[in-house]
Amino acid sequence: MANIPTEIPSLKLNDGTSIPLLGYGTGTAWYKKSAGGIDRTTVETFKTAIRLGYYHLDGAEFYNTEPELGAAIKESGVPREKLFVTTKVITGINDIPKAIDASLKKLQLEYVDLYLIHAPYFANSDAELQRAWVEMEGVKKSGKARSIGVSNYLQSHLEATLKTATIPPSINQIEYHPYLQHGDLIPFQQANQNIATAAYGPLIPITKAKPGPCDVILENLAKKYYVSEGEIALRWAIDQGISAVTTSGKESRLSDYLRALTFKLTPREVKDISEAGAEKHFRGFWQGKFAADDRS
């Protein structure tokens, strides 16, 4: 198990706040079908992540783990100002002011660092996307979220939102890895209000999409840098200025992932992984929303 004292570096967002480039996800493996009572095993797992130095904590109302995350934060002893807490709205999308209040109550917090619309699929029109964004701007103005953004948005959703936005999204959290690079989406974000990118599922080429064209290059780079293929995949995102969100229930694995902070890939290595990844398409989430060959 690695013992990495390195502080996780941050990326400055377009509103002046900063987001750590490596985050801990509290969904996926921890997802609960219903709210129910607090799961102490999950609380202890989240506390372990915080103890290891994962101060960027990525949650969502949909995961039903906000109470566990709130308990872990409270019990961790880490000052609130050192943490970067994200949550997302989708279940309560029709009343975002009410939804943020409910999330803050579960999290036992006065504010979150980042509040995201979890996905655009609630909307049947540009007007519905724009209406939701007006309410998100209200959340930021109220001080209940220091930054606001979106998740799973494509260029068309961003274009609609930006048409009427007075505060642009700070970030778009998307599934992002070598086998799903989204074409021109990230360059579009950079050119339009410098909207940052956060990546969920960054380890998918290793965990869900083997065999694939990235296998050999990831294996070779892991040997070169004396790390695992997972750390190479995380570093590939980080070296592009993308905040990578990952998770694990194993303390040793979470500790090892921090080794991604101890080296940098060369620009050529980043490009080689990207080019190899472009040879295959694999989407780990939201498959029902896209055609099998849709890489957007």
Side-chain angles (χ1 to χ4, degrees):
M1 187 167 69
N3 183 17
I4 310 296
T6 310
E7 184 175 336
I8 295 173
S10 293
L11 171 70
K12 194 168 186 179
L13 301 178
N14 60 12
D15 61 1
T17 63
S18 296
I19 184 172
L21 281 165
L22 185 61
Y24 178 79
T26 64
T28 316
W30 319 115
Y31 169 77
K32 291 160 56 182
K33 290 184 178 179
S34 59
I38 290 181
D39 185 322
R40 285 304 310 178
T41 300
T42 301
V43 173
E44 294 302 323
T45 301
F46 294 173
K47 284 167 63 177
T48 295
I50 296 170
R51 176 170 52 79
L52 289 172
Y54 288 88
Y55 288 178
H56 172 190
L57 305 165
D58 185 83
E61 63 172 10
F62 182 74
Y63 303 155
N64 286 316
T65 56
E66 287 176 321
E68 284 81 359
L69 179 55
I73 289 169
K74 187 174 183 179
E75 295 172 21
S76 72
V78 175
R80 172 66 184 93
E81 62 270 16
K82 288 190 174 183
L83 300 174
F84 187 97
V85 182
T86 299
T87 197
K88 312 178 193 77
V89 58
I90 194 65
T91 309
I93 196 69
N94 290 323
D95 191 343
I96 291 174
K98 182 178 178 181
I100 184 62
D101 286 344
S103 285
L104 290 175
K105 183 176 181 180
K106 293 172 189 173
L107 290 164
Q108 302 181 64
L109 298 176
E110 294 182 358
Y111 69 93
V112 290
D113 297 273
L114 180 61
Y115 196 44
L116 304 178
I117 294 178
H118 205 148
Y121 308 121
F122 68 92
N124 294 312
S125 66
D126 287 358
E128 290 182 24
L129 290 170
Q130 292 161 356
R131 186 276 309 165
W133 191 250
V134 168
E135 293 194 351
M136 292 291 286
E137 291 177 336
V139 171
K140 180 174 172 65
K141 290 172 184 175
S142 74
K144 294 174 183 178
R146 294 196 167 172
S147 297
I148 51 174
V150 296
S151 183
N152 298 299
Y153 272 41
L154 302 179
Q155 181 172 329
S156 61
H157 305 122
L158 291 170
E159 287 173 337
T161 300
L162 289 169
K163 278 181 183 177
T164 57
T166 59
I167 303 171
S170 290
I171 200 163
N172 184 16
Q173 186 184 110
I174 53 176
E175 179 184 341
Y176 184 79
H177 49 77
Y179 298 149
L180 187 58
Q181 298 181 49
H182 295 278
D184 294 329
L185 178 60
I186 291 178
F188 171 82
Q189 293 178 189
Q190 293 169 337
N192 288 269
Q193 302 289 344
N194 195 26
I195 299 169
T197 302
Y200 68 83
L203 304 183
I204 278 177
I206 300 152
T207 60
K208 293 185 178 181
K210 283 192 171 185
C214 284
D215 292 355
V216 172
I217 187 170
L218 291 175
E219 181 181 340
N220 289 340
L221 288 172
K223 290 177 181 176
K224 174 183 175 180
Y225 291 106
Y226 299 97
V227 295
S228 74
E229 295 172 33
E231 281 102 81
I232 298 296
L234 292 172
R235 192 71 225 186
W236 175 78
I238 291 169
D239 280 334
Q240 296 177 75
I242 292 170
S243 180
V245 178
T246 190
T247 195
S248 177
K250 296 182 179 179
E251 180 176 351
S252 60
R253 189 167 291 169
L254 284 175
S255 179
D256 288 348
Y257 287 158
L258 295 174
R259 293 184 304 197
L261 307 174
T262 65
F263 68 96
K264 289 185 178 181
L265 297 172
T266 67
R268 178 74 249 181
E269 289 165 347
V270 172
K271 186 177 180 182
D272 287 346
I273 293 171
S274 299
E275 290 177 350
E279 296 176 15
K280 176 174 178 171
H281 172 61
F282 185 94
R283 189 184 299 274
F285 299 88
W286 300 100
Q287 298 98 325
K289 297 290 183 182
F290 298 89
D293 60 348
D294 187 342
R295 298 185 178 216
S296 61

